[in-house]
Amino acid sequence: MPPPTAPEDVYRHGLRLLLDKDIPAWVDLWDPDGVFEFPFAPDGWPARLEGKAAVADYMRGYPDHIDLHDFPDVEIHRTTVPETVVVEMRGVGRLVDSGTSFDMTYIAVVTVQNGLFTHYRDYWNPLVLLQEPASDFTGRNPR
């Protein structure tokens, strides 16, 4: 079966890879020149990642800090631009070091071309993670 190419299918496939903790396969969904933006990034956290290598570096430690269990609420909205979708979702799990529950809502604007993420703007709430230092998977504060 060929890999998905429709934006909503690529996005859902990516969520499955995150739940499987297969970060390398999730990174493989990125275009080499893809851009990952975080408009609400707190001080010291990256606001923009340029290129697949930067995305891979950013996500490398994610499963060691955040153990995702489910995305119970996912709504994908098509836009007038066929390659772009708007996603409303909720991710739940636990923070690995503390065992604290993780419950985050997201809104993302995602563009997919040729089955790869080319632009991903992630509007997550940093206040949820800033309350729990163990959640910092960015390498900003090494354990």
Side-chain angles (χ1 to χ4, degrees), residues 5-36:
T5 58
E8 56 271 19
D9 295 337
V10 173
Y11 196 87
R12 286 186 190 282
H13 178 63
L15 292 180
R16 179 77 253 156
L17 293 172
L18 290 174
L19 289 174
D20 291 343
K21 296 164 187 40
D22 192 346
I23 300 304
W26 186 82
V27 169
D28 282 344
L29 293 177
W30 281 83
D31 182 86
D33 298 318
V35 174
F36 202 175

Side-chain angles (χ1 to χ4, degrees), residues 115-129:
L116 299 174
F117 297 125
T118 57
H119 196 254
Y120 191 127
R121 190 171 298 124
D122 192 348
Y123 294 93
W124 63 282
N125 180 0
L127 297 177
V128 172
L129 292 183

Side-chain angles (χ1 to χ4, degrees), residues 18 23 26 36 38 42 44-46 49 54-68 94-97 102 104 106 122 124 126 129-130 132-143:
L18 290 174
I23 300 304
W26 186 82
F36 202 175
F38 309 95
W45 288 53
L49 304 171
V55 172
D57 188 50
Y58 175 78
M59 291 295 291
R60 183 171 291 113
Y62 190 92
D64 296 329
H65 296 274
I66 299 174
D67 178 20
L68 285 172
R94 71 177 180 88
L95 299 177
V96 173
D97 283 350
F102 174 82
M104 177 75 73
Y106 304 83
D122 192 348
W124 63 282
L129 292 183
L130 291 177
E132 183 66 50
S135 66
D136 186 354
F137 63 90
T138 65
R140 182 177 58 96
N141 292 318
R143 299 195 259 178

